[in-house]
Each structure stands twice: as structure tokens, then as C-alpha cells.
Amino acid sequence: MRLFDIFKKKNNISFADIDSMDKAKEEVRKGNLEIMYLMSPMFGGAEDESNILYVPVGVNRVKESYDNVLADLVEQGKAKSFNCTPEYRGNSVVPCKITLTSGMDGKDVLNQTINVW
């Protein structure tokens, strides 16, 4: 596998057409989507449906890299809060954008947006 192959869709699908959790779960089974936790279990996030997003394969790896940055900020005492906010397009249950923010004393120390599709 080449480095950027993880970002290629397995099949030519339209994320806009995935408008139910059942369809999203089917695309996970097909290898087109993967599970991503809003709040990583390493920060105490629950491993249940209320904490799960369905995203194209490779997006979770990007989010995990930001989770690692956040872990370093917390360890250094530079961050105390965290928000992961998905944005949706149309009726799709696959977020088109995910914004990650972390802060301390009302000031952002991390503010990143992952453009999903």
C-alpha cells in the first residue's frame, strides 16, 4: 500500500446518499467508511453509538493525530477543554467537516478543521 492509498475511496460512492445509520454501517462493512470516536476512549470517551461518527477511511487517522497533539497539550498543562464538532451536508449522516478545538481558561490552544468530503 502506498502512503496516500488510505485516502482513496474503496468504491465510487456518494457520501451525500448515506442518510441513515444502517447505510453507514453497511458502508463500514464494505470498507468505504470507518468508525471514529468524537471523544477518544483514551480521554474517557464512551465506546457506544452516542460517541461514534462514520467517516471515510483515513479520516480517523487524521483525527487520532490531533488527539495525540491534545494529549501532549494536556500533559503539559496547556489544555483542559476539548470539543469535536461535526458538520453535515443535506441529509447525510457522514460529516462533511469536523472541527476540533481545545482550550484553557477560555482561550483556544488548538483549533483545527478536518474537511471530510
mmCIF file of all heavy atoms in Angstrom, residues 2 4-11 31-32 56-58:
data_model
loop_
_atom_site.group_PDB
_atom_site.id
_atom_site.type_symbol
_atom_site.label_atom_id
_atom_site.label_comp_id
_atom_site.label_asym_id
_atom_site.label_seq_id
_atom_site.Cartn_x
_atom_site.Cartn_y
_atom_site.Cartn_z
ATOM 1 N N ARG A 2 0.578 2.157 -0.870
ATOM 2 C CA ARG A 2 1.312 3.414 -0.916
ATOM 3 C C ARG A 2 0.768 4.357 0.141
ATOM 4 O O ARG A 2 -0.352 4.209 0.617
ATOM 5 C CB ARG A 2 1.202 4.024 -2.303
ATOM 6 C CG ARG A 2 1.903 3.161 -3.335
ATOM 7 C CD ARG A 2 1.927 3.772 -4.700
ATOM 8 N NE ARG A 2 0.930 4.790 -4.889
ATOM 9 C CZ ARG A 2 0.257 4.970 -5.998
ATOM 10 N NH1 ARG A 2 0.456 4.193 -7.020
ATOM 11 N NH2 ARG A 2 -0.634 5.932 -6.108
ATOM 12 N N PHE A 4 -0.567 7.385 0.366
ATOM 13 C CA PHE A 4 -1.844 8.084 0.264
ATOM 14 C C PHE A 4 -2.997 7.186 -0.181
ATOM 15 O O PHE A 4 -4.118 7.658 -0.351
ATOM 16 C CB PHE A 4 -1.717 9.304 -0.649
ATOM 17 C CG PHE A 4 -0.822 10.347 -0.060
ATOM 18 C CD1 PHE A 4 0.473 10.508 -0.509
ATOM 19 C CD2 PHE A 4 -1.267 11.140 0.977
ATOM 20 C CE1 PHE A 4 1.310 11.458 0.053
ATOM 21 C CE2 PHE A 4 -0.446 12.097 1.553
ATOM 22 C CZ PHE A 4 0.848 12.251 1.087
ATOM 23 N N ASP A 5 -2.754 5.892 -0.330
ATOM 24 C CA ASP A 5 -3.820 4.973 -0.703
ATOM 25 C C ASP A 5 -4.928 4.915 0.346
ATOM 26 O O ASP A 5 -6.076 4.613 0.026
ATOM 27 C CB ASP A 5 -3.273 3.562 -0.940
ATOM 28 C CG ASP A 5 -2.502 3.457 -2.242
ATOM 29 O OD1 ASP A 5 -2.569 4.403 -3.051
ATOM 30 O OD2 ASP A 5 -1.827 2.437 -2.449
ATOM 31 N N ILE A 6 -4.616 5.208 1.613
ATOM 32 C CA ILE A 6 -5.640 5.136 2.652
ATOM 33 C C ILE A 6 -6.738 6.166 2.449
ATOM 34 O O ILE A 6 -7.837 6.016 2.950
ATOM 35 C CB ILE A 6 -5.042 5.304 4.068
ATOM 36 C CG1 ILE A 6 -4.374 6.666 4.222
ATOM 37 C CG2 ILE A 6 -4.132 4.169 4.413
ATOM 38 C CD1 ILE A 6 -3.991 7.002 5.641
ATOM 39 N N PHE A 7 -6.459 7.234 1.690
ATOM 40 C CA PHE A 7 -7.450 8.279 1.475
ATOM 41 C C PHE A 7 -8.330 8.017 0.257
ATOM 42 O O PHE A 7 -9.294 8.739 0.040
ATOM 43 C CB PHE A 7 -6.773 9.645 1.340
ATOM 44 C CG PHE A 7 -6.091 10.059 2.605
ATOM 45 C CD1 PHE A 7 -4.712 10.018 2.696
ATOM 46 C CD2 PHE A 7 -6.827 10.465 3.699
ATOM 47 C CE1 PHE A 7 -4.086 10.386 3.870
ATOM 48 C CE2 PHE A 7 -6.210 10.837 4.874
ATOM 49 C CZ PHE A 7 -4.837 10.798 4.960
ATOM 50 N N LYS A 8 -8.028 6.998 -0.502
ATOM 51 C CA LYS A 8 -8.836 6.677 -1.672
ATOM 52 C C LYS A 8 -10.078 5.908 -1.250
ATOM 53 O O LYS A 8 -10.019 5.048 -0.381
ATOM 54 C CB LYS A 8 -8.032 5.830 -2.666
ATOM 55 C CG LYS A 8 -6.904 6.599 -3.307
ATOM 56 C CD LYS A 8 -6.177 5.735 -4.300
ATOM 57 C CE LYS A 8 -5.020 6.482 -4.929
ATOM 58 N NZ LYS A 8 -4.235 5.630 -5.812
ATOM 59 N N LYS A 9 -11.197 6.234 -1.863
ATOM 60 C CA LYS A 9 -12.425 5.509 -1.591
ATOM 61 C C LYS A 9 -12.300 4.110 -2.192
ATOM 62 O O LYS A 9 -11.758 3.926 -3.267
ATOM 63 C CB LYS A 9 -13.613 6.222 -2.217
ATOM 64 C CG LYS A 9 -13.894 7.564 -1.633
ATOM 65 C CD LYS A 9 -15.088 8.172 -2.324
ATOM 66 C CE LYS A 9 -14.815 9.623 -2.582
ATOM 67 N NZ LYS A 9 -15.714 10.237 -3.485
ATOM 68 N N LYS A 10 -12.819 3.122 -1.480
ATOM 69 C CA LYS A 10 -12.803 1.748 -1.978
ATOM 70 C C LYS A 10 -13.693 1.630 -3.220
ATOM 71 O O LYS A 10 -13.352 0.984 -4.170
ATOM 72 C CB LYS A 10 -13.302 0.779 -0.911
ATOM 73 C CG LYS A 10 -12.480 0.782 0.352
ATOM 74 C CD LYS A 10 -11.308 -0.107 0.225
ATOM 75 C CE LYS A 10 -10.593 -0.155 1.564
ATOM 76 N NZ LYS A 10 -9.286 -0.622 1.506
ATOM 77 N N ASN A 11 -14.848 2.235 -3.160
ATOM 78 C CA ASN A 11 -15.794 2.231 -4.274
ATOM 79 C C ASN A 11 -16.205 3.668 -4.537
ATOM 80 O O ASN A 11 -16.085 4.528 -3.674
ATOM 81 C CB ASN A 11 -17.034 1.401 -3.931
ATOM 82 C CG ASN A 11 -16.698 -0.060 -3.739
ATOM 83 O OD1 ASN A 11 -15.989 -0.645 -4.527
ATOM 84 N ND2 ASN A 11 -17.213 -0.647 -2.671
ATOM 85 N N GLY A 31 -16.075 -1.449 3.643
ATOM 86 C CA GLY A 31 -14.737 -0.866 3.685
ATOM 87 C C GLY A 31 -14.651 0.559 3.171
ATOM 88 O O GLY A 31 -13.554 1.078 2.969
ATOM 89 N N ASN A 32 -15.794 1.211 2.962
ATOM 90 C CA ASN A 32 -15.808 2.589 2.474
ATOM 91 C C ASN A 32 -15.816 3.624 3.597
ATOM 92 O O ASN A 32 -15.400 4.752 3.393
ATOM 93 C CB ASN A 32 -17.019 2.825 1.578
ATOM 94 C CG ASN A 32 -16.926 2.007 0.313
ATOM 95 O OD1 ASN A 32 -15.891 1.969 -0.331
ATOM 96 N ND2 ASN A 32 -18.010 1.330 -0.031
ATOM 97 N N PRO A 56 -15.145 8.570 6.058
ATOM 98 C CA PRO A 56 -14.390 7.851 5.033
ATOM 99 C C PRO A 56 -13.082 7.302 5.617
ATOM 100 O O PRO A 56 -12.487 7.897 6.526
ATOM 101 C CB PRO A 56 -14.099 8.925 3.979
ATOM 102 C CG PRO A 56 -15.178 9.937 4.175
ATOM 103 C CD PRO A 56 -15.441 9.950 5.644
ATOM 104 N N VAL A 57 -12.665 6.185 5.079
ATOM 105 C CA VAL A 57 -11.435 5.542 5.534
ATOM 106 C C VAL A 57 -10.259 6.516 5.409
ATOM 107 O O VAL A 57 -10.084 7.166 4.384
ATOM 108 C CB VAL A 57 -11.166 4.249 4.723
ATOM 109 C CG1 VAL A 57 -9.819 3.654 5.069
ATOM 110 C CG2 VAL A 57 -12.284 3.241 4.965
ATOM 111 N N GLY A 58 -9.502 6.643 6.490
ATOM 112 C CA GLY A 58 -8.340 7.527 6.538
ATOM 113 C C GLY A 58 -8.568 8.762 7.386
ATOM 114 O O GLY A 58 -7.625 9.317 7.937
#
